[in-house]
Amino acid sequence: MAIREILKMGDERLLRVAQPVKAFNTPELHALLIDLNDTMLAANGAGLAAPQIGVDLQVVVFGSGDVNPRYPDAPVVPYTVLINPVLTPIGDEEEEGWEGCLSVPGLRGVVPRFKRLRYQGFDPLGNPIDRTVEGFHARVVQHECDHLIGKLYPMRVRDFTRFGYTEVLFPGLDDADD
């Protein structure tokens, strides 16, 4: 339907806690999902949350089933629509990894995330989703779901010596994709 404007860090709408979706399989929800998907693909995103396009709902899309140009060495994450998510870490083990964000263009930072994770929620029809994942897939889910609680990845960076401009940190990566 439409490629939407992605809000950037500093916009107060990115700091809100999103509201749960109450009605599934509606024309409005399906239109939102098309916009999220089109916007994510146009920006080469690994995922996108509804608050990033100014919609105050607990909806995220992530993955594509293909290698992501912004994370060319990362494993493929299947395309997923996740509504009203609940994340449960499996164990206390964290791993650090580089993250970027469409709402924080041109920057990357090392962020600790839980290594293994169970996520639950619903698909667009209201059918339950219940998956256990690890590694990059778990990182992407945690990153996108942070948007639903008003957090951007720089808020989770612990060592700012490993935070900076993509073009400096990763000169071979096209920073137009960031």
Side-chain angles (χ1 to χ4, degrees), residues 62-84:
F62 56 87
S64 66
D66 291 317
V67 172
N68 184 285
R70 294 179 68 232
Y71 300 92
D73 298 327
V76 171
V77 175
Y79 178 73
T80 303
V81 172
L82 184 60
I83 300 170
N84 298 344

Side-chain angles (χ1 to χ4, degrees), residues 33 36-37 40 46-50 59-63 79-82 144:
L33 294 172
L36 281 168
N37 187 61
M40 177 183 74
L48 192 66
V59 178
V60 298
V61 297
F62 56 87
Y79 178 73
T80 303
V81 172
L82 184 60
E144 295 310 326

